[in-house]
């Protein structure tokens, strides 16, 4: 019963918000997320012993929405309730600048409900149900501004998500239909469908558009949590294939495919991020890149079979960590935005003087995402790194390349965030500060900074005690999924390993050097030709398709006109055939034999022949 | 028995009564129409409950060697339920829509008369009765199509009647052949052609499908449907999205499952081609829809596409395919009627019929556009709406039949539906209108309420498809 209540709580909040006329003092989203947080603690407590909660509405039929919570779902529910709480602290202050806050808050609560429902879904159909609801409700975030760019991003978002939803639907159909080939196809469709949501590499094109035009609290949640629903779906798909089993008989290619896709996603995301100048787009591309880490982790977990628990634990851990620091980063950029109305990095600079608190909190988030020791990113990245090197030691030679890419992406991330931080807070002071100089930072930003502060505190907490979270929830969750030796692996893991710390520091150093070199050589301003980037290729393909489309339409129109003309001509000819050409039609209706035209004669002959043929055919005994 | 008679003839009796009420007595007419429509729906429900419970209800009289028989089986009962229930909604909507229009007496009289004809098609027990009501349906809806009496309307009416009559001619011809080959035309019980596999059945089936395909708007025979959109919107909603076109679809379902039987059809070589004809119509219909600017015409082409969903399910000849077809028949009708209702509200309230000039409509008519958007989500096949389940079972059926590319066709048509209609929605909420002539009042409530109720029903069915599952199951069990 608890399970059915949790997603309903935000809906009640949304209803109250919708019916309320005035802007009261109570921050309803905050209250709602607080309630959801408390409920999720109860859920976490209930499932921590290994029990599984299950709830199904008592109705008969082929499908009834049914809910189920194991430890993994409970962790994600807790995470989302926490993030929504943080964002609801932030958004009132921010939405004052953006306007139309009520629509935003209502869609936020709807999205909250659908995310909670998605994490609690017991079967794939229920998951799909909440998945679609999430698409629709978060669409209002993307299109919030209703300008040209927002509408374009909205179309991108909606069309990709709808396609993903339809893929998942077909996947569910094929999964239940039996034969091995079809089950394999269903897995492919699931990976594509959830991959679209998760921003997986060839299907990520919607993400930078959608995440950068939404209002900042929306972008934060889109990047921090909504794409994680895709990753969560992939974990459940892995469950279909079987976690912790050697996939030699089932889908041996699934692990490899996820590794390859994850690696490509990491690399594309980070390379594209390096050449961005728009702060939110940069963060959005990093979401893609970090999702690559997660997908890679899941792939490693499947690929290594029973020994793959490091990959799975790392992926889940990274989902949590990425949610924390990505939300913090977006919120920080948002604070800068509402004061300066500027997101172009090259126009900002030297803002640490005016926003000292924001600068400190952003530093924590930046260090977190780059994986600096002592913060949360370090913990999960270390686990993932161990998983990669473990696979490289035992696996094929191509795994070594994966490891190399992993390091390169680490350096790229460090470089990109050094650039972000340098250009916003350090560097030479910008001259745009006059725009909203009357707005003192401290004045109403208590909510804004409180939100970021909460996140930073959690990040530092995880960073200082990195083994706490895996030990209490993630490892038991992985064990529940089927990774039997997960706790054993974790006991062998020691986070404060000197070589790990040193390699991380080297990565950071290299990143800063790359950043310095890039800024000096102006390579970050490089606009790559269209055929290199996936986006450009997509645009070319789209242009090609639409050209073919127009051509096809033209052909079709020509064809219909031709058919129409022919039919009209034939009918006219037939009619004319029975009219004598010199006399008007009303001549007493007499048709004289002599007056029959050649056309009529042909028609009559044909009819007679038909009758004769038919009789001959049927005369035979 | 009485349920059957009352359900069937409520419409005709109401039509007579409405014909006697003078033009000026509006309230009395509304009351009469409502009473007869509701009674028809009520008795259809009671009848359907009996039929689903397995009861055999039959009215028959012998006329020479032909039997005039009414004998609803589960499939007929489902169609009857759809038609008579939606009729109530359309009647209420019509009260609002027709408030300031002329010739209300004719309109409501023929609206009720065509209810009887539709139910006659649904409850018919053999091919002759089916044919009879099918023809009468054409004639009783003709006055509704030409209701505006403009030259365009008369032209459309002529097109409608010509197409329908030619199709009906093909059906009559095919019926005669069927009788001469089998000596039996009854639907209930074993299929007519069971165990009578013989050459020529391919051609016969094709003849039937060509005949019923006119009303089912299979693509080369579809031209009358967009033209008939000149009719008043409730008529377009009810007749040209549900009742009339469904009578064609229902005819094809009858022919495939009751006359030929799915086993015989499976042995015919043509059965490999039929799903592809439906698939072609699905894609071509929705692709042509993207090119239309008049909203009602675009919806009409979408109807063409979605009717073939049902045919596709029927032509897979598998139980899941049939389940999908029936489910889609039920769920699609609710949403499509709601879509047409929305189009009608927009054109009545703002005077816009063209999509390109609908900027900002959503700001002045938010509830209507909400209903429109929800219905479009359903047409795409997104989950909280009931059409998803139709699509889901259709995909299941096509996979079960080993024709998985058909499932891809369904997915593709969903995406094209999105391309076709989402810009309409986004455009409607974008920008402001200069002239807003929104009148609030009883008429707008009468139009809005049925729309929203239909959307809510669709949402509920979408969340709990078990609500209508017994009906679908009864239909499938009747044939497998």
């Amino acid at each position: 019963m608890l399970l059915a209540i949790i997603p309903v709580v935000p809906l009640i909040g949304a209803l109250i918000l919708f019916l309320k006329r005035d802007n009261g003092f109570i921050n309803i989203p905050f209250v709602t997320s607080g309630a959801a947080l408390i409920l999720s603690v109860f859920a976490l407590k209930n499932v921590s012993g290994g029990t599984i909660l299950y709830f199904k509405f008592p109705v008969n039929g082929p499908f009834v929405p049914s809910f189920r919570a194991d430890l993994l779902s409970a962790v994600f529910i807790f995470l989302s309730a926490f993030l929504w709480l943080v964002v609801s602290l932030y958004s009132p202050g921010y939405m004052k600048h953006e306007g139309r806050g009520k629509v935003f808050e209502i869609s936020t609560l709807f999205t909250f409900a659908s995310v909670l429902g998605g994490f609690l879904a017991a079967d794939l159909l229920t998951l799909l149900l909440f998945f679609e609801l999430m698409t629709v409700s978060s669409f209002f975030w993307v299109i919030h501004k209703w300008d040209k760019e927002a509408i374009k991003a909205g179309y991108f978002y909606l069309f990709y998500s709808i396609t993903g939803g339809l893929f998942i639907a077909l996947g569910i159909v094929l999964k239940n239909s039996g034969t091995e080939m079809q089950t394999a196809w269903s897995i492919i469709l699931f990976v594509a469908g959830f991959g679209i949501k998760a921003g997986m590499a060839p299907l990520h094109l919607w993400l930078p558009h959608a995440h950068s035009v939404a209002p900042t609290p929306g972008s934060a949640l889109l990047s921090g949590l909504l794409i994680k629903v895709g990753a969560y779906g992939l974990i459940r798909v892995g469950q279909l294939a079987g976690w912790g089993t050697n996939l030699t008989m089932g889908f041996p290619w699934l692990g490899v495919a996820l590794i390859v896709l994850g690696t490509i996603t990491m690399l594309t995301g980070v390379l594209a991020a390096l050449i961005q100048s728009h702060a939110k787009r940069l963060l959005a591309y990093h979401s893609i890149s970090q999702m690559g880490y997660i997908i890679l982790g899941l792939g490693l977990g499947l690929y290594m079979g029973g020994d793959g628990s490091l990959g799975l634990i790392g992926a889940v851990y990274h989902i949590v960590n990425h949610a924390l620091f990505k939300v913090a980063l977006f919120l920080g950029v948002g604070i800068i935005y509402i004061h300066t109305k500027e997101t172009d990095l090259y126009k900002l600079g030297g803002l640490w003087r005016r926003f000292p608190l924001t600068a400190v909190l952003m530093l924590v988030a930046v260090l977190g995402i780059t994986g600096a020791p002592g913060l949360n990113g370090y913990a999960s990245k270390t686990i993932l790194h161990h998983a990669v090197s473990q696979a490289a030691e035992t696996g094929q030679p191509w795994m070594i390349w994966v490891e190399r890419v992993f390091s390169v992406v680490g350096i790229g991330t460090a470089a990109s965030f050094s650039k972000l931080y340098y250009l916003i807070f350090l560097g030479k002071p910008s001259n745009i500060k006059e725009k909203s100089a009357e707005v003192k930072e401290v004045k109403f930003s208590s909510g804004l900074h409180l939100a970021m502060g909460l996140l930073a505190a959690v990040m530092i907490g995880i960073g200082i005690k990195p083994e706490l979270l895996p030990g209490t929830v993630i490892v038991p969750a992985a064990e529940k999924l089927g990774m039997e030796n997960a706790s054993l692996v974790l006991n062998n893991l020691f986070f404060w390993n000197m070589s790990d710390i040193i390699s991380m520091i080297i990565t950071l150093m290299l990143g800063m050097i790359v950043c310095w070199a890039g800024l000096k050589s102006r390579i970050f301003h490089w606009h790559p030709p269209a055929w290199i980037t996936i986006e450009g290729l997509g645009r070319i393909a789209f242009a090609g398709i639409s050209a073919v489309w127009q051509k096809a339409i033209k052909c079709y129109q020509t064809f219909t006109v031709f058919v129409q003309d022919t039919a009209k001509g034939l009918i006219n000819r037939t009619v004319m055939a029975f009219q004598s050409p010199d006399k008007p039609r009303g001549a007493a209706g007499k048709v004289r034999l002599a007056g029959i035209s050649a056309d009529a004669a042909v028609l009559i002959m044909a009819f007679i022949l038909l009758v004769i043929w038919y009789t001959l055919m049927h005369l035979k005994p | 028995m009485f349920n059957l008679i009352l359900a069937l003839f409520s419409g005709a009796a109401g039509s007579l009564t409405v014909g006697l009420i003078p033009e000026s007595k509006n309230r009395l007419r509304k009351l009469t129409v409502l009473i007869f429509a509701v009674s028809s729906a009520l008795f259809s429900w009671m009848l359907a409950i009996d039929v689903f419970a397995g009861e055999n209800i039959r009215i028959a009289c012998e006329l020479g060697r032909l039997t005039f028989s009414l004998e609803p089986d589960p499939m007929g009962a489902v169609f009857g339920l759809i038609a008579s229930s939606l009729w109530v909604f359309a009647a209420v909507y019509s009260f609002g829509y027709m408030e300031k229009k002329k010739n209300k007496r004719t309109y409501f009289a023929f609206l009720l008369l065509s209810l009887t004809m539709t139910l006659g098609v649904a409850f018919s027990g053999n091919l002759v009765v089916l044919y009879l009501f099918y023809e009468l349906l054409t004639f009783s809806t003709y006055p509704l199509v030409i209701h505006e009496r403009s030259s365009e309307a008369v032209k459309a009416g002529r097109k409608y009647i010509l197409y329908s009559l030619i199709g009906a001619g093909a059906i009559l011809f095919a019926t005669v052949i069927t009788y001469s080959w089998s000596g039996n035309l009854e639907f209930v019980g074993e299929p007519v052609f069971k165990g009578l596999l013989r050459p020529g059945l391919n051609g016969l089936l094709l003849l039937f499908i060509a005949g019923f395909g006119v009303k089912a708007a299979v693509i080369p025979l579809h031209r009358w449907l967009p033209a008939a959109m000149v009719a008043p919107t409730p008529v377009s909603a009810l007749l040209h999205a549900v009742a009339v076109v469904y009578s064609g679809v229902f005819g094809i379902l009858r022919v495939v499952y009751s006359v030929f039987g799915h086993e015989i059809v499976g042995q015919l070589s043509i059965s490999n081609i039929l799903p592809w004809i439906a698939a072609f119509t699905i894609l071509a219909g929705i692709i042509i829809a993207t090119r239309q600017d008049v909203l009602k015409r675009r919806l009409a082409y979408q109807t063409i596409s979605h009717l073939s969903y049902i045919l596709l399910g029927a032509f897979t000849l598998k139980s899941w395919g049939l389940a999908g077809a029936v489910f889609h028949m039920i769920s699609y009708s609710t949403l499509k009627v709601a879509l047409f209702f929305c189009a009608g509200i927009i054109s009545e309230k703002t005077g816009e019929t063209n999509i390109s000039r609908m900027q900002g409509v959503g700001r002045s008519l938010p509830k209507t556009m909400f209903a429109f958007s929800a219905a479009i989500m359903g047409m795409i096949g997104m989950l909280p709406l009931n059409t998803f389940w139709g699509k889901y079972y259709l995909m299941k059926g096509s996979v079960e039949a080993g024709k998985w590319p058909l499932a891809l066709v369904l997915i593709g048509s969903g995406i094209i539906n999105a391309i076709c209609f989402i810009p309409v929605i986004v455009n409607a909420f974008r920008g402001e209108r200069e002239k807003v002539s929104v009148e609030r009042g009883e008429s707008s409530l009468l139009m809005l309420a049925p729309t929203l109720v239909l959307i809510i029903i669709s949402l509920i069915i979408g969340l709990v498809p078990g609500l209508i599952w017994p009906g679908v199951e009864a239909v499938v069990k009747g044939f497998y």
Side-chain angles (χ1 to χ4, degrees):
Chain A
M1 201 62 206
L2 173 71
L3 296 182
I5 291 171
I6 293 178
V8 171
V9 170
L11 288 183
I12 295 170
L15 193 69
I16 294 170
L17 201 60
F18 180 69
L19 295 176
K20 205 177 62 149
R21 295 252 171 238
D22 55 334
N23 292 324
F25 294 103
I26 310 165
N27 184 346
I28 288 172
F30 179 74
V31 175
T32 316
S33 356
L37 191 68
I38 292 165
L39 286 176
S40 69
V41 171
F42 277 120
L44 204 58
K45 211 169 152 194
N46 275 338
V47 297
S48 61
T51 50
I52 288 175
L53 296 177
Y54 186 80
F55 176 77
K56 189 175 183 177
F57 286 103
V59 195
N60 290 323
F63 165 78
V64 180
S66 46
F67 300 97
R68 173 180 176 279
D70 56 5
L71 203 48
L72 187 72
S73 330
V75 171
F76 281 129
I77 293 175
F78 183 77
L79 176 69
S80 29
F82 174 69
L83 289 182
W84 247 273
L85 189 81
V86 166
V87 170
S88 66
L89 276 176
Y90 180 90
S91 56
Y94 183 86
M95 291 313 287
K96 249 182 241 164
H97 294 264
E98 199 85 26
R100 297 202 290 124
K102 195 166 167 181
V103 179
F104 178 81
E105 297 291 6
I106 290 174
S107 59
T108 304
L109 284 174
F110 267 108
T111 317
F112 188 24
S114 38
V115 166
L116 289 177
F119 285 142
L120 285 171
D123 49 28
L124 281 165
L125 279 169
T126 315
L127 181 56
L128 178 63
L129 165 71
F130 286 106
F131 205 73
E132 304 274 38
L133 286 175
M134 192 175 84
T135 301
V136 174
S137 50
S138 55
F139 172 70
F140 288 98
W141 289 346
V142 176
I143 209 155
H144 187 85
K145 278 184 195 139
W146 286 100
D147 56 5
K148 213 169 179 184
E149 200 187 348
I151 286 172
K152 188 185 161 204
Y155 282 152
F156 255 102
Y157 180 56
L158 211 52
F159 287 136
Y160 269 85
S161 300
I162 285 171
T163 313
L166 290 172
F167 278 175
I168 295 169
L170 183 56
I172 295 170
V173 168
L174 286 172
K175 177 177 83 75
N176 295 331
S177 69
T179 66
E180 200 164 307
M181 184 65 191
Q182 284 169 352
T183 319
W185 270 105
S186 85
I187 297 278
I188 293 174
L189 285 166
F190 283 141
V191 170
F194 289 115
I196 285 179
K197 204 77 196 177
M200 203 171 65
L203 310 169
H204 69 274
L205 296 182
W206 62 275
L207 196 148
H209 295 278
H211 289 200
S212 58
V213 299
T216 302
S219 320
L221 288 173
L222 276 169
S223 255
L225 210 69
L226 261 69
I227 53 175
K228 304 306 190 312
V229 183
Y232 175 79
L234 286 178
I235 295 177
R236 293 295 178 201
V237 172
Q239 212 171 359
L240 294 178
W243 288 106
T245 50
N246 290 318
L247 298 172
T248 42
M249 46 206 297
F251 313 101
W253 43 267
L254 182 59
V256 179
L258 282 183
I259 290 173
V260 172
L261 286 169
T263 316
I264 295 171
T265 311
M266 283 161 83
L267 200 60
T268 353
V270 87
L271 288 181
L274 275 173
I275 53 171
Q276 299 302 320
S277 60
H278 185 294
K280 282 169 90 176
R281 278 183 90 87
L282 185 144
L283 291 179
Y285 273 111
H286 273 290
S287 292
I288 297 171
S289 163
Q290 301 294 317
M291 281 316 282
Y293 278 94
I294 292 162
I295 294 168
L296 172 67
L298 295 177
L300 287 169
L302 282 172
Y303 178 71
M304 299 292 287
D307 303 325
S309 41
L310 267 183
L312 180 59
I313 295 169
V316 175
Y317 201 5
H318 201 63
I319 288 178
V320 175
N321 287 334
H322 176 243
L324 294 169
F325 50 63
K326 191 45 69 67
V327 171
L329 284 168
F330 265 111
L331 298 190
V333 169
I335 291 178
I336 302 296
Y337 172 71
I338 55 175
H339 290 293
T340 60
K341 297 281 175 235
E342 189 57 71
T343 48
D344 191 341
L345 291 173
Y346 293 100
K347 289 182 184 157
L348 295 165
L351 290 179
W352 68 271
R353 275 179 243 271
R354 286 181 55 212
F355 305 102
L357 193 52
T358 316
V360 171
L361 293 170
M362 272 292 267
L363 186 63
V364 175
V366 164
L367 289 177
I369 196 170
T370 46
L375 279 157
N376 60 348
Y378 169 72
S380 49
K381 283 194 180 177
T382 308
I383 296 183
L384 284 172
H385 191 227
H386 278 281
V388 176
S389 32
Q390 185 194 15
E393 276 160 28
T394 56
Q396 267 83 18
W398 57 271
M399 276 314 248
I400 295 167
W401 280 98
V402 174
E403 198 181 1
R404 283 177 193 161
V405 172
F406 191 92
S407 319
V408 169
V409 172
I411 295 170
T413 310
S416 173
F417 278 96
S418 315
K419 173 185 141 194
L420 177 88
Y421 199 77
Y422 174 80
L423 287 178
I424 293 181
F425 291 106
L426 313 173
K428 61 172 188 298
S430 62
N431 45 6
I432 56 159
K433 57 189 149 196
E434 310 307 328
K435 226 169 219 169
S436 51
E438 76 279 8
V439 186
K440 290 279 178 293
E441 199 202 357
V442 214
K443 205 171 175 188
F444 59 86
S445 54
S446 55
L448 305 181
H449 285 127
L450 192 60
M452 282 188 76
L454 263 175
L455 289 169
V458 176
M459 279 190 275
I460 295 171
I462 292 178
I464 292 170
K465 286 205 64 87
E467 64 282 344
L468 182 70
L469 198 56
T472 48
V473 285
I474 295 176
V475 167
E479 273 178 337
K480 264 254 134 357
L481 285 174
M483 290 291 186
E484 273 148 17
N485 55 355
S487 55
L488 216 122
V489 170
L490 190 82
N491 289 340
N492 296 338
L493 197 71
F494 181 60
F495 284 98
W496 305 111
N497 196 329
M498 217 48 203
S499 68
D500 282 338
I501 294 176
I502 289 174
S503 76
M504 270 304 174
I505 289 173
I506 291 175
T507 307
L508 282 181
M509 292 301 205
L510 281 175
M512 280 186 223
I513 293 170
V514 170
C515 170
W516 178 77
L519 283 175
K520 279 283 164 213
S521 66
R522 304 185 64 78
I523 200 162
F524 290 154
H525 288 291
W526 182 56
H527 286 287
W531 49 270
I532 286 185
T533 59
I534 296 177
E535 190 151 290
L537 280 179
R539 210 172 291 143
I540 292 169
F542 183 74
I545 288 170
S546 59
V548 171
W549 179 253
Q550 297 294 339
K551 202 89 192 160
I553 295 268
K554 237 175 219 159
C555 282
Y556 171 77
Q557 277 169 346
T558 328
F559 174 71
T560 48
V561 168
F562 168 73
V563 168
Q564 256 175 5
D565 289 353
T566 320
K568 254 182 210 157
L570 273 176
I571 290 168
N572 280 343
R573 259 184 109 75
T574 322
V575 171
M576 294 286 286
F578 290 96
Q579 287 174 349
S580 54
D582 43 18
K583 282 189 181 161
R585 206 163 151 223
K590 284 179 203 161
V591 180
R592 283 173 295 122
L593 201 62
I596 287 179
S597 67
D599 284 339
V602 168
L603 280 173
I604 292 168
M605 289 287 281
F607 182 70
I608 291 170
L609 278 176
L610 202 71
V611 170
I612 292 172
W613 172 77
Y614 187 82
T615 336
L616 283 177
M617 286 295 287
H618 287 76
L619 268 181
K620 281 180 207 160
Chain B
M1 182 87 119
F2 284 111
N3 290 341
L4 176 57
I5 293 172
L6 286 171
L8 182 59
F9 291 108
S10 284
S15 165
L16 273 179
T17 322
V18 169
L20 293 174
I21 296 171
E23 180 77 32
S24 56
K25 301 218 165 166
N26 276 327
R27 294 187 107 177
L28 185 62
R29 187 185 311 108
K30 280 184 195 171
L31 194 68
T32 322
V33 170
L34 200 61
I35 286 172
F36 282 103
V38 168
S39 85
S40 181
L42 203 67
F43 290 115
S44 300
W45 275 97
M46 279 154 73
L47 173 73
I49 287 166
D50 287 350
V51 169
F52 293 151
E55 210 172 305
N56 194 19
I57 298 163
R58 179 181 165 89
I59 300 173
C61 63
E62 304 276 334
L63 296 168
R65 289 173 65 185
L66 283 177
T67 319
F68 184 92
S69 67
L70 290 169
E71 192 172 5
D73 67 344
M75 191 160 77
V78 166
F79 180 34
L81 273 190
I82 297 171
S84 60
S85 313
L86 289 175
W87 226 276
V88 178
F89 289 95
V92 174
Y93 183 85
S94 297
F95 297 154
Y97 187 87
M98 296 300 289
E99 190 137 47
K100 298 199 177 80
K101 304 249 183 346
K102 281 187 232 158
N103 290 334
K104 279 178 238 176
R105 191 160 67 153
T106 347
Y107 174 83
F108 282 109
F110 282 104
L111 195 69
L112 280 172
L113 187 63
S114 47
L115 170 58
T116 294
M117 302 312 164
T118 314
L119 291 182
V121 171
F123 298 153
S124 58
N126 62 25
L127 261 177
V128 177
V129 181
L130 177 65
Y131 169 76
L132 183 71
F133 279 111
Y134 187 83
E135 283 278 38
L136 286 174
L137 181 60
T138 310
F139 292 122
S140 63
T141 51
Y142 176 71
L144 296 169
V145 174
I146 60 160
H147 187 262
E148 311 256 310
R149 300 294 195 281
S150 61
S151 69
E152 195 194 355
V154 172
K155 210 173 150 195
R158 198 162 55 218
K159 208 173 208 174
Y160 170 54
I161 216 132
L162 262 177
Y163 268 89
S164 295
L165 289 185
I166 291 170
I171 296 165
L172 183 62
F173 190 39
T175 308
V176 171
I177 296 177
T178 309
Y179 189 68
S180 66
W181 283 354
S182 68
N184 175 22
L185 294 173
E186 296 290 316
F187 292 142
V188 176
E190 299 281 277
V192 173
F193 278 114
K194 184 154 181 138
L196 288 175
L197 191 62
R198 52 170 289 164
L201 282 187
N202 271 323
L204 183 62
L205 182 59
L206 205 60
L207 194 60
F208 265 124
I209 287 170
F212 284 116
V214 171
K215 279 215 172 121
V218 179
I219 253 194
L221 314 168
H222 68 283
R223 295 294 289 261
W224 64 273
L225 183 59
M229 288 298 132
V230 295
T233 305
V235 173
S236 314
L238 191 61
L239 299 177
H240 301 134
V242 180
V244 169
V245 288
Y246 270 20
S247 69
V249 170
F250 182 77
I252 292 179
L253 285 174
R254 271 284 183 239
V255 166
V256 172
Y257 285 93
S258 297
V259 176
F260 282 74
H262 60 95
E263 285 146 1
I264 294 284
V265 176
Q267 288 164 18
L268 298 178
S269 55
I270 200 173
S271 69
N272 293 320
I273 308 166
L274 289 177
W276 298 106
I277 295 176
F280 172 75
T281 306
I282 289 174
L283 285 180
I286 194 68
I287 286 171
I288 299 170
T290 57
R291 309 278 300 172
Q292 304 297 322
D293 191 38
V294 179
L295 181 56
K296 272 173 83 178
R297 282 181 77 90
R298 191 176 280 201
L299 289 174
Y301 275 105
Q302 194 197 31
T303 305
I304 291 168
S305 162
H306 274 259
L307 289 172
S308 280
Y309 275 48
I310 304 169
L311 297 185
L312 184 138
F315 291 151
T316 56
L317 304 173
K318 296 287 177 200
S319 50
W320 280 118
L322 181 61
V326 176
F327 211 113
H328 199 74
M329 210 163 151
I330 298 167
S331 50
Y332 163 75
S333 62
T334 55
L335 284 181
K336 196 45 177 278
V337 170
L339 274 178
F340 269 112
F341 283 180
C342 294
I345 295 175
I346 292 169
S347 73
E348 283 300 295
K349 295 284 154 192
T350 66
E352 299 295 359
T353 52
N354 284 39
I355 289 164
S356 52
R357 288 177 22 210
M358 283 190 185
Q359 275 212 355
V361 165
R363 295 274 158 90
S364 40
L365 301 167
K367 287 184 197 120
T368 312
M369 279 316 285
F370 161 75
F372 189 87
S373 323
I376 289 302
M377 292 297 154
M379 291 293 157
I380 295 164
M382 292 176 77
L383 193 56
L385 287 140
N386 51 7
T387 28
F388 169 82
W389 296 104
K391 194 172 249 186
Y392 179 74
Y393 293 123
L394 287 173
M395 291 200 282
K396 218 166 173 163
S398 33
V399 171
E400 193 190 7
K403 299 189 172 87
W404 56 267
L406 292 176
L408 290 186
V409 168
L410 293 176
I411 297 267
S413 106
I415 294 168
I416 303 173
N417 259 298
I419 293 171
C420 186
F421 281 99
I422 283 178
V424 179
I425 299 168
V426 170
N427 239 350
F429 281 105
R430 182 185 183 186
E432 297 286 341
R433 290 184 71 79
E434 296 99 43
K435 281 193 302 182
V436 185
S437 60
V438 186
E439 304 160 37
R440 304 205 181 275
E442 203 198 356
S443 74
S444 62
L445 184 70
L446 279 175
M447 283 154 81
L448 195 58
T451 319
L452 291 177
V453 171
L454 279 174
I455 294 293
I456 290 166
I457 290 174
S458 314
L459 272 170
I460 292 171
I461 296 177
L463 283 174
V464 192
L467 291 177
I468 58 172
W469 188 247
V472 179
E473 209 175 19
V475 176
V476 176
K477 273 205 183 125
F479 295 116
Y480 286 90

